[in-house]
Amino acid sequence: MKKTKLTRTLLAACSIVALTAVMYGCTHSSDDPPATDTTDTMEPTAEDQLAALQKEVADLRMQLGLPADGSISTSITELQDEIASLKQQVQDMEDAADTADKKAAAAEALALFTSFSDMVGDTTNADVVTVTVTAVSDMDDGGGSAMVTATVAGTTDGDAAGPNLSGDDVVRTAEAMLGAWQGTMLTDADMAGNSSTAVVYTDVGPNVGKAWAEVYTAGVDAQAIADLQAENANAVIAASKFSTAGLKDHHGDRNMTSGVVTITGTFDGARGAYTCTSAAAGACTSNMTADGIVLGGTATGDAGWMFNPVDSAMVSQPDSMYAYFGWWLNKTASGNPEVDVFHGSNQAVDISAGTFTALGGTATYTGAAAGKYALNRGADQYASGGHWTADATLTANFEDPTQTGDAIVNAAGSISGMIDNFMAGGESMDWSVKLNSASIAVFDTDHDFGLPADGTEWTIGGAAAADAGMWEGDFHNQVAPPDGNNVPGTVTGEFTATYGAVGHMTGAFGAHVE
């Protein structure tokens, strides 16, 4: 039956219901007395009501395509059967689409499952990925939140081809915050169907204000703009009177007596004034470029552009001490995935081991973790996989340390942890991963700790698998007295975990000392 006829039929069925109600109303009896009509309106006669009902029946017959003596009840039965058939067809289509989606997701998860083979502990692959984070503030004075632009670049070695997510065509989207860790997803694909994806979490904070002399030449009131522009600092120049489009000559802004142009503005967030001696037209100019304002003109040396900060000027500077962790996934055009994780800090060595005294006591670190997983429970169930996020808690024991040369030796030093409160695909997962005790006996300039012999323990639904996998990490942001107590402020790391023959997982974490 065509849709138009089906629509007409449905309308007719609705009309039948209404007609039936009217017909029943004509014969219905009640214990209540009939309502008394207090108006002067004349009631329709029985003949009028009968004629109206007969017209409705005739209209229904016409809509149903029945002859004058056709059975309305039979047509309704046929209509109900057709509706049931159409509903079943729709359900079958939905079931087929759902099955196809599940099969596609299962195939992708199965491919991911087979790729978990060589990650943590592979020293060749460990250095493939380099993460660069650029943080800027949404306020000139250093307030507001940091906006992170992460660049993840890798190289090809004997084990893995690291992701290349550093070009202009990389798509960056914000991930949900994990406590103090701000996430960015980066994606890129080529015309051949190969793709790279990475998620980077950083603890970059908002810009901070520093005194002018701490950032630029100490004891100098003015900064040569030409020198700074040579360092690609155009974007830090700001003033309402500078050009907004094209070249602008500031000859008209000069003091008629001194011949000096003075324009209030900011440089790198510091308040002050730009000055330039403008004895002739074209001596002091500004030009808006793709990289920001460029100051120029024929005036050079002391007569050229200078910036004079106010006495209390503060320069807006990005957070200079941050850590990061995350994961990346490469796919070839044939669908073969390669996955790995990474972690680290923007500082190669936080503090020289020879400059701090021995550690002691314990410290607890709390933070977050993220990574990839795949489960393959057998032929009777679909494989599943994807990325996850979780909480991370670690406890470090710095007891009985001694310093030998450039190394801190902790005979009893150790660190252990737990990854729990997993979320995957928008759902809470009944998982936890125990990070078994690892030695920090040698706490050297890299501030790292080694691989434990018994690795990790993955628990699903309260049932723990045998110890398997590995984990490792690094300490960061150690501050010596008098500003700190030598305890590292941050720890990052990575791990793998296996749940028998059915589950593989890899992840990375970052946590701050409580």
Side-chain angles (χ1 to χ4, degrees):
M1 184 180 291
K2 294 181 178 180
K3 286 187 176 180
T4 53
K5 187 173 182 181
L6 177 60
T7 303
R8 291 198 306 269
T9 306
L10 290 170
L11 291 171
C14 294
S15 299
I16 290 171
V17 175
L19 175 60
T20 304
V22 171
M23 295 178 67
Y24 269 103
C26 294
T27 59
H28 177 65
S29 62
S30 172
D31 294 334
D32 297 329
T36 303
D37 186 6
T38 59
T39 68
D40 295 332
T41 303
M42 182 178 293
E43 291 286 344
T45 64
E47 290 81 358
D48 293 336
Q49 294 183 36
L50 178 60
L53 290 174
Q54 288 175 333
K55 184 178 182 308
E56 288 194 35
V57 172
D59 291 342
L60 287 174
R61 289 181 184 279
M62 183 177 295
Q63 292 181 41
L64 293 171
L66 297 175
D69 57 349
S71 171
I72 293 179
S73 61
T74 300
S75 296
I76 292 175
T77 300
E78 293 174 350
L79 175 61
Q80 291 174 331
D81 291 342
E82 185 169 356
I83 290 173
S85 176
L86 290 172
K87 284 183 176 180
Q88 187 59 52
Q89 292 180 42
V90 171
Q91 186 62 52
D92 291 344
M93 292 174 62
E94 291 177 348
D95 291 344
D98 184 56
T99 299
D101 290 343
K102 287 181 178 179
K103 286 183 177 180
E108 186 170 338
L110 189 58
L112 182 63
F113 184 85
T114 60
S115 72
F116 284 93
S117 59
D118 191 16
M119 288 166 288
V120 174
D122 179 353
T123 56
T124 303
N125 199 30
D127 298 326
V128 166
V129 175
T130 300
V131 177
T132 302
V133 177
T134 302
V136 297
S137 174
D138 57 7
M139 294 177 62
D140 289 336
D141 63 359
S145 334
M147 295 178 290
V148 175
T149 299
T151 297
V152 180
T155 57
T156 302
D157 64 14
D159 291 293
N164 186 8
L165 292 156
S166 56
D168 294 337
D169 56 346
V170 175
V171 178
R172 294 174 172 84
T173 55
E175 290 286 291
M177 292 282 292
L178 298 180
W181 299 88
Q182 184 173 199
T184 303
M185 175 176 280
L186 303 93
T187 56
D188 193 13
D190 60 23
M191 297 299 292
N194 305 301
S195 65
S196 289
T197 302
V199 171
V200 184
Y201 289 95
T202 74
D203 60 355
V204 175
N207 286 13
V208 295
K210 291 187 177 181
W212 176 267
E214 290 184 55
V215 181
Y216 298 107
T217 305
V220 176
D221 293 333
Q223 192 73 36
I225 300 303
D227 292 341
L228 293 173
Q229 287 182 161
E231 299 173 6
N232 298 316
N234 302 351
V236 302
I237 299 171
S240 60
K241 280 194 174 184
F242 286 150
S243 172
T244 56
L247 186 67
K248 183 176 182 180
D249 189 345
H250 293 279
H251 186 62
D253 294 324
R254 73 191 187 284
N255 181 286
M256 298 304 292
T257 301
S258 65
V260 176
V261 174
T262 301
I263 295 178
T264 301
T266 62
F267 183 88
D268 210 359
R271 294 182 297 109
Y274 293 87
T275 60
C276 180
T277 300
S278 179
C284 304
T285 63
S286 64
N287 190 18
M288 172 60 76
T289 72
D291 296 323
I293 293 291
V294 173
L295 301 181
T298 59
T300 60
D302 292 340
W305 285 106
M306 305 287 285
F307 180 76
N308 301 280
V310 299
D311 291 341
S312 59
M314 300 293 287
V315 179
S316 179
Q317 293 288 286
D319 183 2
S320 61
M321 187 180 291
Y322 62 83
Y324 57 82
F325 67 89
W327 56 265
W328 58 265
L329 174 71
N330 284 347
K331 289 183 182 179
T332 63
S334 60
N336 295 325
E338 187 173 56
V339 63
D340 209 341
V341 292
F342 54 86
H343 68 97
S345 168
N346 69 320
Q347 297 177 328
V349 177
D350 300 323
I351 186 171
S352 173
T355 65
F356 57 78
T357 57
L359 288 167
T362 62
T364 299
Y365 298 83
T366 57
K372 302 288 287 185
Y373 80 96
L375 294 171
N376 182 22
R377 295 185 175 91
D380 60 334
Q381 298 187 51
Y382 286 112
S384 61
H387 56 269
W388 54 262
T389 59
D391 294 336
T393 305
L394 296 98
T395 300
N397 179 2
F398 301 114
E399 292 294 340
D400 302 324
T402 59
Q403 183 166 343
T404 304
D406 285 340
I408 293 295
V409 178
N410 294 64
S414 64
I415 185 170
S416 59
M418 179 69 72
I419 312 296
D420 56 10
N421 296 325
F422 280 82
M423 294 291 296
E427 297 183 1
S428 176
M429 312 301 285
D430 58 349
W431 305 342
S432 66
V433 175
K434 181 183 177 183
L435 308 178
N436 291 315
S437 182
S439 172
I440 54 173
V442 178
F443 190 62
D444 57 19
T445 54
D446 291 332
H447 294 184
D448 57 358
F449 41 89
L451 301 169
D454 52 358
T456 59
E457 181 184 281
W458 186 356
T459 297
I460 298 179
D467 292 345
M470 293 179 289
W471 77 284
E472 61 186 3
D474 296 276
F475 291 109
H476 311 279
N477 304 340
Q478 186 170 14
V479 182
D483 297 325
N485 58 2
N486 285 321
V487 174
T490 308
V491 61
T492 62
E494 60 186 80
F495 68 93
T496 59
T498 300
Y499 197 85
V502 303
H504 291 310
M505 176 192 298
T506 186
F509 60 83
H512 299 114
V513 68
E514 291 185 342

